[in-house]
Every structure is written in structure tokens, then in C-alpha cells.
Amino acid sequence: MKDNGLMKDDGLMKDDGLMKDDGLIKDNGVMKDDGTTLTKGPSNGPGAPDGPDAPRAPAARSDRSGGNGTRTVAVTLVLWALAACFAFPVVWFVLSAFKPGSELFSYPLSVLPRDWTVQGFADAWQRIHFARYFGNTLLVASITTVLTVLASAGTGYALAKYSARWIRIFFVCVLATTMLPTEVILTPSFAVVRELGLYDSLAGIIVPSIITATGIFMFRQFFMTVPDEILEAARIDGASEIGIFVRIMLPIARPIVVTLAIFSFQWRWNDYIWPLIVLGDQKRFTLQVALRNLIGAQNIDWPVLIAASVISLLPLLVMFLVFQRYVMNADINAGLKD
């Protein structure tokens, strides 16, 4: 007779287990002669026997969590140590702006100023027409950043979503420009700017700085992850290519836009060599070129130079504090399917 098991001639019944002649029953475990049950692995079902192996699982998890916690603390301490190593020179530099000139090179050196003063900031703002140079640099950095983001996004979109052999060759040529040092292309770039009539103008700084291989590469690699089905669906709905780029691709690529904008603004704000070559009129100097004029052949006014340098860092700091949440917390794959 078979009732959830098989009754054999020898009187053995198998019902979710096997009853043998010696009275041992196997039901998700083995019953020994002494009446104890050895459980094979953890059992979560109701009424499951508690075997000797059951209490070991929480202990193993506890050991693993303890090891992970120790490793996390060690890694955190190492990162804090590295951060302190990088932050110490910056903190020393900023605090030095509040020291008088006689205290900058006094021995023994001190991190905190003994006599706090802001005279260096006042002299820097008045002596070198700081407001004019600050405005020139802000204008150049802002316009160049906007044009760089738009040009890089459009170029990256075309390289990612249009198929042609010459497009791939063009992309390789763009990447090859990253292998050239800036000093190599200064002479031909200056010749082009002079022939275009852009010498000694802010436009001569802006135009050659719009196209960057780094920005094109960032957008191209991101747009490669966007499924082509999104573009096909938009085309079926009647969207134009410009509409697809402006209304779909750019919003999706917002993390890349913000990241490149921060990088581009920083590059143009701190640029020194190219404005020094292109600009001749002191009224059009950018901030970095103007700060260089504070360094004389025989004497350097260190309090003014350090204070002016600290002021020049403020726009970069403000920009990073405002836009860092878009970079740190942005989901690059938002809106995309796997």
C-alpha cells in the first residue's frame, strides 16, 4: 500500500524518510541510538529540532561583522590621515594670509598667526585693480564653461549614436590630442588666433579653449550606455534630432554636465600660460596673470600675494560647495533600463 510512502515486504515504510529495522528515522536528519537528532543544516520550519549546529551560524556572522568593522575602521583612519596630509598645506596657506610680513618667515614657524591682520587683503584689492581682473577671469571662465559643455555634449552624442567609419576615425584623432603636451600646440594655436584677429582680446582666450578631448570622451562614453530604443521611440513620436538631444539626452546626462562644468571652470580660472601669451593690454589681464605682476625681480610682497591668491580661490570653493551634491549623489543610470 502506498500512502505518501511505500510499504515494502520487510515492513519498512518510507514517509518523507526511511524507517529501518533498527528503528532509526531519517527526516531531514538522522536519529541516533541514544535518541538524539543530528540536524543537517539550519531549519527554519515550525517545530524543527534544534541541532548542535544551529547556534553556530549567528556566531559565524558575528565574527564576520566584527572583522568587517575592524577593516572599516582601519580604512577610515588611513583615509583621514591622507586627507590631513593634503589639507595641512592648504590650511597653512590660508592662515598665512592673516599674518603680517614680519611673521611669515620668523623662526620658529607657527601655524596660527600671532598677530591677526587683514591688511594684506585690503592691499591686494586696491593695488592691482583686483575687481577688474576678477571680472575678466569670471567672464572668461563662465562663457568658456557653457560653450565647452554644449560643444562636448553635442560631439559626444554624435560620436556615440551615429554609425560611420569616419566618425570612429575622428574619435580616435580626438583622443590622440590628449597625448600632446600643451606646449606643443601653443605656437600653432597662437598663429591661428592672430590670423583670426583675436589677439589681445578675451575672445582669443575663449575660442581655443572650447573644445576639450576630456569632455568629448566623458559624454561619448556616457551616451554609449543609453539604449538606442529610447531614441527610436522618440523618432517614432516625431521628435527631431535637436529635440532628442535637448529634451532627452542632456537631462539624462546631468551628472556629466555638472562634472565637466566644474572641471572646465577650474581649468579656465587657473589658466596662466595661454592668457599670458594672447593678452598684451593690462586692462584685459586675467587674475592669474595679474598676480604674476606682484612678483618682482628683486622683491616680492608676500602678504599681498598670498592674500590675493586666497581671494582667487573663493569662486572655486563656492562652486564646488554648491554643485557637489549633484556630483556626489547623482545616479548616472537614472531613467535607463538595464
Side-chain angles (χ1 to χ4, degrees), residues 254-268:
R254 185 176 63 177
I256 308 300
V257 170
V258 176
T259 303
L260 181 60
I262 293 176
F263 287 161
S264 179
F265 190 89
Q266 178 184 357
W267 294 335
R268 302 288 77 82

Side-chain angles (χ1 to χ4, degrees), residues 37-39 48-55:
T37 302
L38 180 60
T39 304
D50 295 332
D53 292 341

